[in-house]
Amino acid sequence: MINLSGRPLMSDMPPYRHSGAGNPWRNPDDLYAGRPPWDIGRPQPAFLALAEAGAIQGRVLDVGCGTGEHALMAAGLGLDATGVDLASRALDAARRKAGERGLTARFLCHDARRLAGLGEYFDTVLDCGLFHIFDDNDRSAFVGSLRSVVKQGGRYFMLCFSDRQPGGQGPRRVTRGEIEAAFTDGWRVDSIDPATIDITTDPDGIRAWLVAVTRI
């Protein structure tokens, strides 16, 4: 097991304006042609705090896993960890990290809007920066996809861009009301708290929501 506070072990804030044609999942490998600002080389502090509090349990799925920091964090806890993404460059980097750190985690090229195709169930799902990239239709598909793989009583933890973030750069801002509306059917919203997404290009990070939801 790793020392979570002692080893550098991701998130999602691409520098684009949200529009239907500009959604990053349409050309996910383009985001990793260089090092994107959300690829910070360690877990986001909000998720690290969840891990240290024992909130991340059982079989763990990291959706939009990028270069794998949160799946590897879960693997370091001795948990069964899987990461899914559509960016093959990021997945290759995640697999290299796993080998270098001596950790066991699966990294699969899979669409997070079609998780039922995995044919598996998970106790914990982590999402750092995926929810906020979707337009309304894809957001609905994504939440339905989550519902198909999260066990009853399982939990979904999400970090997303907040409407508290000033300016217009980056993904669409998400409000508390949008989050609550998205998770009405088969879910219980446990908490929506102000948080920060760390990035490499701004020491103050990005204003975010940390969301905890339970499958009921």
Side-chain angles (χ1 to χ4, degrees), residues 107-141:
F107 293 101
L108 307 175
C109 187
H110 196 89
D111 191 333
R113 297 164 298 165
R114 297 176 174 85
L115 294 173
L118 294 174
E120 300 178 35
Y121 295 93
F122 299 88
D123 302 284
T124 305
V125 176
L126 303 176
D127 170 1
C128 189
L130 184 63
F131 181 87
H132 63 219
I133 75 170
F134 293 127
D135 62 23
D136 292 343
N137 289 335
D138 284 313
R139 178 180 290 176
S140 178

Side-chain angles (χ1 to χ4, degrees), residues 111-179:
D111 191 333
R113 297 164 298 165
R114 297 176 174 85
L115 294 173
L118 294 174
E120 300 178 35
Y121 295 93
F122 299 88
D123 302 284
T124 305
V125 176
L126 303 176
D127 170 1
C128 189
L130 184 63
F131 181 87
H132 63 219
I133 75 170
F134 293 127
D135 62 23
D136 292 343
N137 289 335
D138 284 313
R139 178 180 290 176
S140 178
F142 173 58
V143 174
S145 175
L146 286 173
R147 196 163 51 239
S148 71
V149 297
V150 178
K151 295 178 181 177
Q152 187 171 3
R155 305 192 78 191
Y156 168 70
F157 296 105
M158 181 251 286
L159 273 170
C160 70
F161 241 65
S162 165
D163 57 335
R164 297 157 47 249
Q165 175 66 23
Q169 186 76 0
R172 68 189 287 183
R173 275 62 173 155
V174 180
T175 68
R176 285 178 178 268
E178 287 179 293
I179 295 167

Side-chain angles (χ1 to χ4, degrees), residues 49-213:
L50 290 175
E52 292 175 337
I56 298 173
Q57 302 177 354
R59 300 195 69 220
V60 178
L61 177 65
D62 181 6
V63 290
C65 67
T67 64
E69 290 298 341
H70 297 123
L72 294 172
M73 178 185 72
L77 293 168
L79 302 176
D80 182 318
T82 298
V84 297
D85 206 295
L86 289 175
S88 59
R89 286 172 173 161
L91 293 168
D92 287 344
R95 294 179 188 119
R96 285 196 299 272
K97 288 181 184 180
E100 291 165 358
R101 299 175 190 179
L103 296 171
T104 300
R106 290 188 306 166
F107 293 101
L108 307 175
C109 187
H110 196 89
D111 191 333
R113 297 164 298 165
R114 297 176 174 85
L115 294 173
L118 294 174
E120 300 178 35
Y121 295 93
F122 299 88
D123 302 284
T124 305
V125 176
L126 303 176
D127 170 1
C128 189
L130 184 63
F131 181 87
H132 63 219
I133 75 170
F134 293 127
D135 62 23
D136 292 343
N137 289 335
D138 284 313
R139 178 180 290 176
S140 178
F142 173 58
V143 174
S145 175
L146 286 173
R147 196 163 51 239
S148 71
V149 297
V150 178
K151 295 178 181 177
Q152 187 171 3
R155 305 192 78 191
Y156 168 70
F157 296 105
M158 181 251 286
L159 273 170
C160 70
F161 241 65
S162 165
D163 57 335
R164 297 157 47 249
Q165 175 66 23
Q169 186 76 0
R172 68 189 287 183
R173 275 62 173 155
V174 180
T175 68
R176 285 178 178 268
E178 287 179 293
I179 295 167
E180 291 168 345
F183 292 96
T184 55
D185 184 11
W187 304 92
R188 181 185 70 239
V189 177
D190 300 315
S191 59
I192 304 174
D193 296 320
T196 299
I197 294 174
D198 282 1
I199 57 174
T200 60
T201 53
D202 187 339
D204 294 328
I206 298 300
R207 293 180 182 178
W209 296 119
L210 174 63
V211 181
V213 181

Side-chain angles (χ1 to χ4, degrees), residues 3-78:
N3 179 341
L4 291 177
S5 61
R7 173 180 285 188
L9 273 175
M10 162 182 143
S11 154
D12 226 322
M13 192 297 243
Y16 69 96
R17 293 180 183 274
H18 182 85
S19 66
N23 282 352
W25 58 261
R26 298 184 188 278
N27 297 290
D29 265 331
D30 291 349
L31 295 174
Y32 292 90
R35 183 178 179 182
W38 60 86
D39 190 10
I40 62 174
R42 53 180 171 80
Q44 288 292 325
F47 279 1
L48 181 59
L50 290 175
E52 292 175 337
I56 298 173
Q57 302 177 354
R59 300 195 69 220
V60 178
L61 177 65
D62 181 6
V63 290
C65 67
T67 64
E69 290 298 341
H70 297 123
L72 294 172
M73 178 185 72
L77 293 168

